[in-house]
Amino acid sequence: MYAVIKTGGKQYRVAAGEKIKVEQIAAEVGQEIVFDQVLAVGNGSEIKVGTPLVSGATVTVKVVAHGRHDKVRIFKMRRRKHYQKRQGHRQNFTELEIASISA
């Protein structure tokens, strides 16, 4: 069984037992969170798609860790103008383990 959930402005396809990294969520490590924004639920060849959400469907997850992704380096340059700009960014994330999917 799998589900498509929406969190942090993105959509994720999840199944029970998987670990995913999502945008940072204000929750303690070990805490359980219930996502009720479920866009679709599938089980084999059967799929239930919401309009826009599947009513009564929830996904329970457990917070495993918080961290930061690898650095993304930004380099801007204008040729022949003696302009160079360097910048870097590290995005925060929360690692989640999918405990159960109920539809």
Side-chain angles (χ1 to χ4, degrees):
M1 180 178 247
Y2 68 91
V4 177
I5 61 171
K6 179 179 160 187
T7 178
K10 298 177 182 72
Q11 298 175 7
Y12 299 92
R13 183 186 189 273
V14 298
E18 283 184 352
K19 289 185 180 179
I20 59 169
K21 292 180 180 178
V22 299
E23 296 291 324
Q24 189 173 25
I25 298 173
E28 298 294 322
V29 174
Q31 183 178 347
E32 286 201 349
I33 302 172
V34 177
F35 287 115
D36 56 352
Q37 290 192 333
V38 179
L39 303 171
V41 177
N43 192 2
S45 61
E46 178 186 329
I47 186 165
K48 194 185 304 181
V49 179
T51 55
L53 302 175
V54 178
S55 62
T58 59
V59 176
T60 306
V61 300
K62 181 180 174 188
V63 177
V64 176
H66 297 289
R68 289 166 67 94
H69 285 289
D70 293 336
K71 180 172 274 194
V72 176
R73 298 187 187 276
I74 300 107
F75 178 72
K76 296 180 180 180
M77 185 178 115
R78 299 281 181 252
R79 64 183 186 160
R80 300 185 304 269
K81 304 298 182 192
H82 198 64
Y83 170 81
Q84 288 184 355
K85 183 179 179 181
R86 291 179 179 87
Q87 193 175 1
H89 176 75
R90 289 186 71 186
Q91 185 70 25
N92 296 325
F93 69 83
T94 298
E95 188 172 5
L96 303 174
E97 183 177 3
I98 312 303
S100 65
I101 299 170
S102 64

